[in-house]
Amino acid sequence: MRKIYLFCDAGMSTSLLVKKMQDVAEKHNLSVKIEAFPFVKAHAIITEERPDCILLGPQVRFLLNEMQEKYKDLGMPIEVINPVDYGVMNGENVLKFAIKLIKENEKNK
């Protein structure tokens, strides 16, 4: 089972996106665990859980470079969710993006 974790400022609006992503995953019988967390919990969750992909909400996109540098040795993709997809809560596009990142990461290992 792949783990896709979303981090945002407080975890509230991202939880709505997670629900939409899970609906798409269930519809296509994908074995994924998708969760949202407030950014303040990121370090503990990332180091303990070792997700396959980390997506940042647009409101914390300024942390992207710091996160990529801090966790580069863990070998997981870390990217920002497309602001348009986030704004309209397009769970399908965000899930496709996460899966693409996971596959590219596995291919490059």
Side-chain angles (χ1 to χ4, degrees), residues 8 12 14 39 57 59 66 69 81 94 99 101 103-105:
C8 69
M12 298 292 196
T14 307
F39 185 78
Q59 65 273 42
E66 175 186 331
E69 181 63 28
I81 299 167
V94 177
I99 291 169
L101 291 171
K103 287 182 177 180
E104 286 174 356
N105 189 52

Side-chain angles (χ1 to χ4, degrees), residues 50-53 71-78 105-106 109:
R50 304 281 174 115
D52 297 287
C53 181
Y71 300 108
K72 67 181 175 189
D73 293 338
L74 296 180
M76 64 192 69
I78 302 172
N105 189 52
E106 289 173 347
K109 283 188 175 180

Side-chain angles (χ1 to χ4, degrees), residues 7-73:
F7 292 93
C8 69
D9 200 28
M12 298 292 196
S13 55
T14 307
S15 294
L16 299 172
L17 181 58
V18 165
K19 172 71 173 110
K20 292 183 180 264
M21 291 171 71
Q22 286 175 330
D23 289 346
V24 173
E26 289 171 12
K27 179 180 170 185
H28 295 285
N29 295 316
L30 299 175
S31 180
V32 293
K33 175 182 178 183
I34 309 165
E35 293 191 57
F37 303 96
F39 185 78
V40 295
K41 296 182 177 184
H43 182 70
I45 291 167
I46 291 169
T47 56
E48 289 173 21
E49 297 276 331
R50 304 281 174 115
D52 297 287
C53 181
I54 296 170
L55 298 177
L56 302 177
Q59 65 273 42
V60 294
R61 70 178 158 262
F62 64 93
L63 296 167
L64 178 62
N65 291 337
E66 175 186 331
M67 293 280 291
Q68 287 175 330
E69 181 63 28
K70 186 173 186 175
Y71 300 108
K72 67 181 175 189
D73 293 338

